[in-house]
Amino acid sequence: MTRLTRRQFSGGLAATAVAMPSTAGAQTYPSRPVRFVLPFAAGGVADITSRLAAEKLGEKLGQRLVVENQPGPGGISAGRSVTTAAPDGHTLALLTNGTAISVALYKALPFDPVKDFATVSALGTFDLVFATNADSSIKTLGDFIKAAREKPGTLNVGTINVGGTQNLAAELFKSLAGLNFQIVPYRGTPDVIVALLRNDVQMLVEFYAPIKSTLLDNKIRAVATSGTQRSPFFADIPTVAQAGVAGYEVTSWNGLFAPVGTPVEIIDLLNKTVREIVATPEVKERYADLGIEAQASTPEQLKARLADDIAKWAAVIERAGIPKQ
């Protein structure tokens, strides 16, 4: 009877150990520094916001998050680096709406962003700004739309490289508004700003941070923002939809992802921690300085946003006739 009891007891321990491996792992996570892989170069908005998030996450989790910049076309290098890593929470990735664009822009990617990543949480959302020369007679987006209809094919809109969010946002505006104007791509934002100040282009489409100083110097004028509702940073400026282009919406985002198969307990811990840090006044203020609204999400919300953006930008790229790379 004693032997039987011992066997039952030993069997019970074994069953418990088998049933709860991931919980035990989550309790000791993270057990070493965590890699945080970015598909962008150092110094940009994504890098700055990610390093702040990494710093605060590290403080909460008790282990340092080491940011690795792996820039490259389509985020392919960074994506491959993360999807081939062990799914134990010690390798994380920053993905953005640019990842959704890459799915449609490239003939093939070595990973499927929806299937090969586990979503954790959004970190923030941010709108694009439509702006004109402060000295221009085009003082509203309605003015631009009217001028484009009166003189089709004569107006220019400046963006950075073909296939970028800014460029595709201009293509979507052109399509939904039914306008005929030229979209002129430039190598970088400084070139776009110069073109606008020289009147080579009549409007630009860009994120807030790269044009902030020019806006504050009153050299250019914001005429619309791209989100579903007015930007908290431009309360007096209408959205593109409010200015007359029904259905227009472009909301950029960045978020935290992990390799698929990462234990749900670790995902939940990371999601909880992200929610805590983006709610702090410091993170909110520092993100706001770059035109980003600190904002967490559930893993399911982030996955749905990624999937929706893949479909949306695939349609825009097809309508614009942009060749796959």
Side-chain angles (χ1 to χ4, degrees):
M1 185 71 179
T2 302
R3 286 195 298 272
L4 180 60
T5 302
R6 286 175 179 169
R7 286 172 185 166
Q8 290 173 331
F9 180 71
S10 299
L13 286 178
T16 301
V18 170
M20 300 183 63
S22 58
T23 302
Q27 289 173 346
T28 59
Y29 171 82
S31 59
R32 61 182 186 276
V34 176
R35 297 172 63 214
F36 188 16
V37 182
L38 275 61
F40 303 101
V45 173
D47 180 72
I48 294 168
T49 55
S50 297
R51 287 181 185 276
L52 176 60
E55 175 190 335
K56 299 305 179 184
L57 279 168
E59 291 173 359
K60 290 276 189 180
L61 296 172
Q63 283 283 358
R64 191 162 64 98
L65 268 71
V66 182
V67 175
E68 292 185 14
N69 298 95
Q70 295 188 20
I76 292 173
S77 176
R80 185 189 292 117
S81 177
V82 175
T83 55
T84 57
D88 59 6
H90 289 90
T91 301
L92 302 174
L94 179 86
L95 296 186
T96 72
N97 55 289
T99 305
I101 291 171
S102 293
V103 175
L105 196 58
Y106 286 82
K107 293 177 181 177
L109 293 178
F111 54 85
D112 183 324
V114 176
K115 295 180 180 178
D116 296 336
F117 285 98
T119 49
V120 177
S121 172
L123 294 173
T125 60
F126 41 109
D127 297 338
L128 288 154
V129 179
F130 287 59
T132 61
N133 189 320
D135 295 330
S136 170
S137 61
I138 299 175
K139 301 187 183 302
T140 67
L141 191 63
D143 290 341
F144 180 90
I145 292 171
K146 180 181 178 182
R149 286 177 176 157
E150 290 176 348
K151 299 179 180 179
T154 62
L155 299 186
N156 297 323
V157 172
T159 72
I160 60 169
N161 56 296
V162 173
T165 302
Q166 301 92 317
N167 181 263
L168 293 179
E171 290 283 4
L172 181 61
F173 168 64
K174 181 178 181 179
S175 173
L176 289 181
L179 299 177
N180 179 5
F181 58 79
Q182 302 301 315
I183 299 174
V184 184
Y186 291 85
R187 292 181 60 184
T189 305
D191 298 326
V192 182
I193 293 172
V194 169
L196 184 63
L197 296 178
R198 288 179 176 173
N199 295 313
D200 294 335
V201 300
Q202 285 66 55
M203 187 166 68
L204 64 73
V205 181
E206 184 54 277
F207 294 116
Y208 172 69
I211 62 174
K212 179 180 177 180
S213 61
T214 316
L215 280 167
L216 294 179
D217 288 342
N218 294 317
K219 294 180 179 178
I220 63 176
R221 174 192 296 109
V223 296
T225 55
S226 65
T228 55
Q229 55 189 5
R230 294 195 180 201
S231 166
F233 314 112
F234 294 95
D236 297 332
I237 304 299
T239 66
V240 173
Q242 289 173 339
V245 185
Y248 187 92
E249 181 268 327
V250 177
T251 301
S252 290
W253 50 268
N254 52 31
L256 193 64
F257 289 70
V260 69
T262 300
V264 66
E265 292 84 359
I266 291 176
I267 297 295
D268 289 344
L269 174 62
L270 288 168
N271 182 275
K272 175 179 178 291
T273 309
V274 168
R275 288 181 177 277
E276 291 172 355
I277 67 170
V278 300
T280 62
E282 179 187 359
V283 171
K284 283 182 175 294
E285 290 171 9
R286 290 176 66 178
Y287 273 30
D289 192 51
L290 298 168
I292 299 174
E293 188 173 3
Q295 190 175 84
S297 72
T298 66
E300 294 76 19
Q301 287 170 333
L302 183 56
K303 183 178 285 289
R305 173 169 275 179
L306 173 62
D308 288 348
D309 271 8
I310 288 173
K312 175 179 184 172
W313 293 121
V316 173
I317 288 169
E318 183 177 356
R319 282 198 303 267
I322 297 174
K324 288 183 177 290
Q325 300 180 28

